[in-house]
Amino acid sequence: MRQLSRRVLAASESQTLSIAARAKQLAREGHDVISLAVGEPDFPTPACVRRAAIAAIEDGKTRYTEASGILELRRAVAEKFRTEHQLLHASEETVLISCGAKHSIMNALHAICNPGDRVIIVAPYWVSYPAMVVLAGAEPVILETTPASGFKLQPEQLRAALDSRTACVILNSPCNPTGVMYTRHELEALAAVLADHDCYIISDEIYEKLTYTRQHVSIGSFEQVAHRTITVNGCSKAYAMTGWRIGFMTGPAHLIAQAAKVQSQDTSNPNSIAQYAALAALEHAAADVEHMRSCFEQRRQLLLDLLGVVPTVRALPPDGAFYVWLDIGALLTEQRTSADIATELLERYYVATVPGEAFGMAGYLRLSFATSEEHLKRAVERIVTYLASLNS
Ligand SMILES: Cc1ncc(COP(=O)(O)O)c(C=O)c1O
């Protein structure tokens, strides 16, 4: 039989989605599964957003829109990028609305990558980056961070990795899975390195509104790299709108135009109703976002407190997002990897977590606190029971 696309065959499937599927299957079989594997807020979409969607349906806003997104939303996103992120070049012409931030990143990679190009990804990384780079026909180059560097890319490490084949560097702050955020000073140092190299930067800032320790800074606001940075954001995490599929980006006009062309030939416009809902989110849901953020902050503290008294694991306090990156190195043996531990926790103790392997760094578990305090308490109780069983 004729071989299928080598590019597609080479791309991996999302491990987080497969764990979520297994957790759902166990729950369907009647097990009391607690999922700390989820990558989405557990809050309902804010009421003002839901109402705007219903109004859009009733008003007949149910047809194709401009492929790049409705003008009102592009204007609102450009305004957000200019005022909240100091991305001074953002305008209705340089904003592209897509079907989720994932789609934004994929469109950007399609516009950037040629065969033989390399794209730098920082590990631990969001599960989808390597596969997306492969699908865009380029080669992922993984730069591993360490606990000693706070899981942050170091300027000299970046400099050593950049070469003539590097087409793009993907940065993610706040980071999924570690929750780590780069400071202004750290981003300035990375921007100084990137200023000497002719490549693009994709800055994935999808968790920008969910922060606990410091203010978010966009690398695209720095003059040296502003003309080569694509800043990605969206509605999924901040507004509890994962299912609505609205993401957006801004970047250099010539690149956004090509990314828009990809989208127009691929999916056409994002869902018209969701676009009107996203507009309401940007304009009216700030108080809802703050409510969700402060709930996440409380849960973050609860989870850190619960894990803090467990001697064999070490939790990294996250600056942002809704994940705790748990060092379980002390539990590993030649026969027991972090993937094995995640499997045992799910299959025997019905707690779903995601092993570090999914993010390119074994020896860790990612625990999501996008679930109730009650669930967090019961999940940690089960984890403690499991750990005790390892010693007995
Ligand atoms: C770091 C990161 N970027 C992008 C996305 C994709 O978000 P969206 O739902 O907007 O496609 C996710 C979702 O999990 C994420 O964690």
Side-chain angles (χ1 to χ4, degrees), residues 39-40 99-105 125-129 132 172 174-177 204-207 232-237 241-243 245-248 322-323 366:
E40 60 182 341
C99 311
K102 186 181 256 183
H103 189 213
S104 302
I105 297 167
Y125 47 71
W126 178 45
V127 283
S128 293
Y129 296 143
M132 290 164 104
N172 175 214
C175 170
N176 175 4
D204 179 351
E205 304 179 7
I206 188 80
Y207 292 97
V232 177
N233 208 318
C235 291
S236 287
K237 315 292 176 170
M241 289 177 67
T242 45
R245 310 309 302 131
I246 294 291
F248 34 77
F322 38 66
Y323 309 105
R366 189 196 73 175

Side-chain angles (χ1 to χ4, degrees), residues 175-202:
C175 170
N176 175 4
T178 58
V180 157
M181 283 175 82
Y182 289 78
T183 64
R184 172 174 293 280
H185 182 68
E186 288 161 345
L187 287 175
E188 267 165 1
L190 294 176
V193 172
L194 289 161
D196 296 337
H197 192 86
D198 183 22
C199 69
Y200 291 99
I201 303 157
I202 295 180

Side-chain angles (χ1 to χ4, degrees), residues 27-50:
R28 268 199 306 274
E29 288 167 10
H31 300 289
D32 173 26
V33 176
I34 303 174
S35 182
L36 305 188
V38 287
E40 60 182 341
D42 55 326
F43 298 99
T45 300
C48 62
V49 177
R50 303 197 304 265

Side-chain angles (χ1 to χ4, degrees), residues 10 28 42 85-86 96 122 141-142 173 177 179 181 195-196 202 208 224 232 250 260 296 346:
R28 268 199 306 274
D42 55 326
H85 304 264
Q86 287 72 53
L96 175 62
V122 184
V141 172
I142 310 294
S173 174
M181 283 175 82
D196 296 337
I202 295 180
E208 155 258 330
Q224 317 100 292
V232 177
T250 190
F296 282 132
L346 178 57

